[in-house]
Amino acid sequence: MNAPVPTPIERAEKLQGLGSSRKRVEDARFTQGKGRYVDDMKMPGMLYGDFVRSPYGHARIKSINAEAAKALPGVIAVLTAADLKPLGLHYMPTLAGDVQAVLAEEKVLYQNQEVAFVVADDRYVAADAVELVEVEYEELPALVDPFKAMDADAPVLREDLAGKTTGAHGPRNHHNHIFTWTVGDKDATHAALAAAEVVAEELITYQRVHPCPLETCGCVASMDKINGKLTVWGTFQAPHAVRTVASLISGIPEHNIRIVSPDIGGGFGNKVGVYPGYICAIVASIVTGKPVKWVEDRIENLSTTAFARDYHMRGRIGATKDGRITALDCHVLADHGAFDACADPTKYPAGFFSICTGSYDIPVAHVSVDGVYTNKAPGGVAYRCSFRVTEASYFIERMIDVLARKLDMDPAELRLKNFIGKEQFPYTSALGWEYDSGDYQTAMAKAMETVDYAGLRAEQAENRAAFARGETRSLMGIGVAFFTEIVGAGPVKNCDILGLGMFDSCEIRIHPTGSAIARLGTISQGQGHATTFAQILATEIGIPASMITVEEGDTDTAPYGLGTYGSRSTPVAGAATAMAGRKIRAKAQMIAAWLLEVHEDDLEWEVDRFVVKGAPERAKTMTEIAFASYNQAIPGLEPGLEAVSYYDPPNMTYPFGAYVCVLDIDVDTGVSTVRRFYALDDCGTRINPMIIEGQVHGGLTEALAIAMGQEITYDEIGNVKGATLMDFFLPTAVETPAWETDFTVTPSPHHPIGAKGVGESPNVGGVSAFSNAVNDAFAHLGLTHTPMPHDHWRVWQTAERLGITA
């Protein structure tokens, strides 16, 4: 008796394609300690590099004496700017079109800036030699307040830019000014604000924070002088872009450069840029002919690699008395540190901040951004967000709450009144973005019903009455946040990094026995690409996900791509994967038609096979088709079953979500206890629900860290005050609450599978929800806004200012 043929549903379940909560295939090696990170690498004759760093925030270098260090047994070389200058390598281009000192030449511009690079045959010898390098400094006044950066008497920071009145993004009107960027209709916005019945104004500051990935930055550079090939293994989020930059800097042809990203312990934007350690390791390997490893320690990572945020946003929002928003104006003062090394697309020096109209149908808006230099570490990366979207979302969500207080209106009601309607999509915002799809009212209604929003507000009213009577010392806060993110950078027509269009790619090879390998231009840092990209392909080409290997991160094998950051993997590389899969399926259909002796149009796709229309018993599975493609001469077709797709998206994607945070604040200690956090995300088509939930959990934990404690601060002479984990808040399981996740599904109409991306969303929405909850707890006492971070000390200070502490 023949075994029953599995039904299409049973076959689809076996594929573990789209929508399946397939377990992450990467986790087996990580949980067993079998991951391979940069610092795990050991090569014959490998040397080690370490930096001499400046103790000053701003100082002139008078002299450098490295003789004692060079005399230490085991020291091979000590490189300074004087050694790099003849090679044209003492400065390197930044992603923002500026230049950054690889090793400080005449001045140091921030504490712990790289001054000299010691190379030794032992990493501890290199560390000892660093202490023997004598540098004479002349301390200069430090500038750490961005609001004073363009004062008439502000010190000149970038002497290398003397006389330059224009930069990469237009005119400079002060020696510490980088650019002014504007978007929107200024005159119409100001007129609407002048005519508004109600105008709310506030300075919203998003403090300087740091991604602080589990693994710090590092690399191993190896120059093979026999074949002239340079290989660099490193913590790179965009290996191909690094290869191009390395070629431009070194003059080595790209075909002789191989960049490899092994396992990366978290990126969060911190590993997008190029750091002096990479350049110095490459130079040292070229000079010595031996592999050179450089890995930074935690203090170096926190104090010198790219920061995030440091945006100071002055907002004005106009409305009618009944709460209809009429205009939004914002001026941003952006602190970029000593060099403009922000990881933003060339045309957007302020990133995608102009998404700051958020989820609201605001008729007219205007934004201007001034970037300035200060004596702080350079950077400005998308710390789990897409190019300043978190700053934009935080700004509008705080401004909505500020306006709600002024109108004496419930914050959720004000949001519902001003949402973009479902029927308005695709929707073009006042600042020019075309939102692809959305259903904000449904998401908000689901969130409010799930948390019993009306009941929470009633409970809060009882809490406030009890507090007034002296029956409790705790105040209840309810934070509502609704965000629209812009991800999937991006269309080549308006997104690039250093002139490289931000498309992405996928190459697929089907083997004769029906398994497959897919190579992509992205690189996973914990997102689960090896799992989810295989699921996309499983659905597209009918091969079980377990039979598909996904490879990334090696420029010698992967097709050119722009890497992983800003939630672009699924919207761009995921689309490339689906499109490559469809090319495979199109050829497979021609092969199946020849095998079944029918016309192609007589076939239809059914899960994992092509069947003859009207005769489903006549079919060819993808496994059968794959074998035939290699062993039969099919007229008009080349042998094999392979495809490559380079995907340039027509638009970015716009995931959104509704978050509610409920917390209790002890006013006598400032301690906040998160009672409930509900997060509803809409990321379009859901590839793997389990991985989505994990991404949301991780992003919310980082949002908790940012809102409730993270900050990199400097004292008045430029000393970094948050450069160790004693001072920089990283939540553990003790501090992290239980997360409650939910979803709606609104597919993107232009994406091949309707997916939008989700990795950044919980950070984008979560920060606002936490901050809104803290501010809401004190709102009845007249508080309009108190800035982040909301750590216990600052929350207590707020309570003290309001006169309610014991």
Side-chain angles (χ1 to χ4, degrees):
M1 182 175 180
N2 294 329
V5 177
T7 67
I9 292 176
E10 290 171 334
R11 299 201 310 269
E13 289 176 351
K14 184 178 179 181
L15 290 180
Q16 291 191 299
L18 294 178
S20 169
S21 288
R22 181 190 182 210
K23 289 185 178 180
R24 286 166 42 111
V25 299
E26 302 94 326
D27 289 349
R29 72 175 186 276
F30 292 138
T31 56
Q32 297 178 51
K34 299 292 178 63
R36 192 173 189 229
Y37 301 92
V38 171
D39 205 29
D40 292 326
M41 294 189 63
K42 295 178 175 61
M43 300 178 69
M46 187 166 69
L47 305 177
Y48 299 85
D50 201 354
F51 280 109
V52 177
R53 296 182 180 273
S54 168
Y56 296 101
H58 192 200
R60 195 168 302 282
I61 298 174
K62 305 294 287 184
S63 65
I64 300 175
N65 186 343
E67 295 308 312
K70 292 177 180 178
L72 187 68
V75 172
I76 308 301
V78 179
L79 301 177
T80 66
D83 300 305
L84 299 183
K85 193 170 185 178
L87 304 173
L89 295 176
H90 58 312
Y91 276 88
M92 63 181 181
T94 71
L95 295 178
D98 198 358
V99 292
Q100 176 177 344
V102 176
L103 294 173
E105 183 181 12
E106 297 179 351
K107 289 205 309 181
V108 291
L109 293 172
Y110 57 94
Q111 190 178 57
N112 281 345
Q113 184 178 350
E114 300 84 355
V115 175
F117 189 67
V118 175
V119 182
D121 59 14
D122 181 276
R123 67 188 308 166
Y124 299 105
V125 171
D128 289 342
V130 162
E131 301 298 322
L132 297 177
V133 177
E134 298 175 1
V135 184
E136 182 184 355
Y137 297 96
E138 175 191 342
E139 189 173 4
L140 300 172
L143 173 63
V144 296
D145 184 349
F147 289 94
K148 297 179 179 178
M150 292 194 287
D151 287 353
D153 60 349
V156 177
L157 302 188
R158 292 289 300 278
E159 293 178 353
D160 61 301
L161 299 180
K164 294 186 178 181
T165 57
T166 60
H169 307 294
R172 300 174 61 231
N173 54 38
H174 186 278
H175 51 259
N176 293 328
H177 183 236
I178 305 172
F179 64 83
T180 297
W181 183 74
T182 63
V183 62
D185 190 328
K186 180 179 179 180
D187 292 340
T189 300
H190 289 185
L193 286 168
E197 295 176 338
V198 177
V199 176
E201 184 173 352
E202 191 59 66
L203 174 65
I204 308 292
T205 292
Y206 201 134
Q207 74 276 17
R208 175 176 285 234
V209 293
H210 193 279
C212 196
L214 181 66
E215 179 192 20
T216 59
C217 297
C219 71
V220 175
S222 179
M223 183 69 189
D224 187 331
K225 293 191 174 183
I226 302 299
N227 60 24
K229 181 144 187 173
L230 171 67
T231 302
V232 185
W233 296 264
T235 51
F236 308 127
Q237 289 184 236
H240 285 94
V242 170
R243 185 183 69 183
T244 299
V245 172
S247 178
L248 292 171
I249 292 174
S250 67
I252 301 172
E254 271 192 89
H255 73 278
N256 274 340
I257 300 176
R258 180 189 179 199
I259 302 295
V260 182
S261 289
D263 290 327
I264 298 179
F268 313 118
N270 187 234
K271 295 167 182 173
V272 173
V274 176
Y275 295 116
Y278 304 156
I279 305 301
C280 289
I282 290 171
V283 171
S285 181
I286 293 173
V287 170
T288 64
K290 296 183 178 181
V292 177
K293 177 189 285 189
W294 167 75
V295 177
E296 64 185 0
D297 64 26
R298 182 59 62 186
I299 290 177
E300 291 173 312
N301 181 259
L302 281 168
S303 64
T304 67
T305 59
F307 71 94
R309 321 305 188 228
D310 218 339
Y311 256 35
H312 308 268
M313 304 165 283
R314 172 72 63 181
R316 291 188 298 153
I317 188 167
T320 60
K321 290 180 180 178
D322 65 351
R324 178 68 64 183
I325 298 173
T326 58
L328 176 70
D329 184 65
C330 179
H331 176 261
V332 178
L333 187 63
D335 187 339
H336 284 220
F339 305 99
D340 185 8
C342 290
D344 291 322
T346 301
K347 295 180 182 178
Y348 299 95
F352 298 157
F353 183 81
S354 50
I355 195 73
C356 65
T357 53
S359 311
Y360 310 103
D361 186 15
I362 300 177
V364 62
H366 173 254
V367 168
S368 64
V369 181
D370 279 305
V372 296
Y373 292 120
T374 61
N375 289 124
K376 299 177 184 176
V381 299
Y383 173 7
R384 200 149 189 167
C385 86
S386 182
F387 307 120
R388 304 291 190 174
V389 171
T390 295
E391 290 94 320
S393 181
Y394 177 65
F395 166 74
I396 186 61
E397 288 306 291
R398 283 300 304 131
M399 288 302 297
I400 291 290
D401 267 31
V402 169
L403 177 61
R405 306 304 175 212
K406 191 155 190 174
L407 292 168
D408 195 24
M409 182 180 291
D410 182 87
E413 179 188 350
L414 181 60
R415 286 172 169 82
L416 284 166
K417 177 166 285 194
N418 288 282
F419 277 154
I420 301 163
K422 182 179 181 181
E423 71 285 353
Q424 292 177 267
F425 290 95
Y427 171 85
T428 300
S429 76
L431 295 176
W433 296 112
E434 184 184 298
Y435 296 22
D436 56 355
S437 64
D439 186 357
Y440 301 161
Q441 291 82 357
T442 297
M444 189 68 165
K446 185 176 184 181
M448 293 174 69
E449 180 181 354
T450 303
V451 301
D452 184 16
Y453 185 76
L456 287 173
R457 286 299 182 191
E459 182 184 352
Q460 184 184 52
E462 294 175 3
N463 165 258
R464 289 172 174 177
F467 185 86
R469 295 192 298 267
E471 296 171 2
T472 180
R473 302 298 297 156
S474 177
L475 285 174
M476 177 182 176
I478 305 168
V480 178
F482 198 100
F483 67 91
T484 294
E485 194 183 4
I486 178 172
V487 303
V492 170
K493 63 186 178 183
N494 60 10
C495 282
D496 73 284
I497 292 288
L498 286 180
L500 301 172
M502 297 179 73
F503 58 86
D504 232 291
S505 56
C506 179
E507 173 191 288
I508 305 170
R509 295 179 180 178
I510 309 297
H511 304 310
T513 53
S515 61
I517 184 169
R519 294 189 171 102
L520 296 100
T522 47
I523 176 64
S524 179
Q525 309 113 44
Q527 294 91 339
H529 289 178
T531 304
T532 56
F533 287 141
Q535 290 183 252
I536 294 173
L537 278 178
T539 294
E540 293 291 343
I541 64 177
I543 293 176
S546 60
M547 299 289 285
I548 302 171
T549 296
V550 174
E551 285 188 2
E552 304 171 293
D554 188 335
T555 60
D556 268 11
T557 58
Y560 203 103
L562 269 292
T564 297
Y565 41 86
S567 275
R568 65 184 306 274
S569 296
T570 295
V572 189
T577 302
M579 297 303 284
R582 291 175 190 182
K583 290 181 180 180
I584 292 284
R585 202 166 74 197
K587 184 175 181 180
Q589 184 170 356
M590 291 186 279
I591 297 171
W594 187 83
L595 294 173
L596 292 166
E597 299 180 322
V598 297
H599 191 274
E600 294 169 41
D601 293 342
D602 293 328
L603 296 177
E604 59 185 1
W605 177 251
E606 186 186 88
V607 183
D608 61 350
R609 64 196 62 189
F610 283 101
V611 301
V612 177
K613 295 176 182 178
E617 70 280 0
R618 296 187 62 204
K620 289 294 179 181
T621 67
M622 277 299 294
T623 301
E624 293 171 320
I625 294 167
F627 196 74
S629 72
Y630 284 92
N631 76 352
Q632 296 197 38
I634 302 172
L637 292 180
E638 297 177 348
L641 200 52
E642 301 181 357
V644 179
S645 175
Y646 284 84
Y647 182 77
D648 179 16
N651 188 13
M652 282 171 270
T653 59
Y654 296 78
F656 59 90
Y659 288 5
V660 181
C661 174
V662 184
L663 53 74
D664 299 294
I665 295 174
D666 184 325
V667 299
D668 296 320
T669 63
V671 173
S672 301
T673 303
V674 178
R675 186 196 307 180
R676 185 177 188 183
F677 197 105
Y678 170 88
L680 180 150
D681 281 280
D682 193 314
C683 59
T685 301
R686 292 161 60 84
I687 299 171
N688 185 316
M690 182 172 62
I691 286 182
I692 290 173
E693 187 169 355
Q695 288 283 301
V696 173
H697 282 207
L700 288 175
T701 302
E702 287 182 311
L704 168 72
I706 292 169
M708 310 305 280
Q710 282 189 353
E711 185 176 23
I712 298 289
T713 59
Y714 291 75
D715 67 16
E716 66 279 0
I717 61 173
N719 291 318
V720 189
K721 296 167 67 177
T724 76
L725 295 183
M726 292 291 290
D727 306 298
F728 194 72
F729 174 47
L730 284 187
T732 68
V734 174
E735 296 88 7
T736 304
W739 309 115
E740 185 178 346
T741 62
D742 205 347
F743 64 94
T744 56
V745 177
T746 310
S748 171
H750 63 79
H751 190 279
I753 62 172
K756 293 187 173 185
V758 74
E760 324 287 356
S761 296
N763 198 348
V764 172
V767 171
S768 303
F770 282 115
S771 187
N772 285 351
V774 171
N775 280 278
D776 181 73
F778 299 112
H780 66 296
L781 300 171
L783 180 73
T784 301
H785 173 73
T786 185
M788 296 188 296
H790 304 298
D791 55 59
H792 302 340
W793 167 244
R794 277 175 263 212
V795 172
W796 178 85
Q797 285 182 309
T798 298
E800 185 186 41
R801 285 196 301 272
L802 294 170
I804 57 174
T805 55

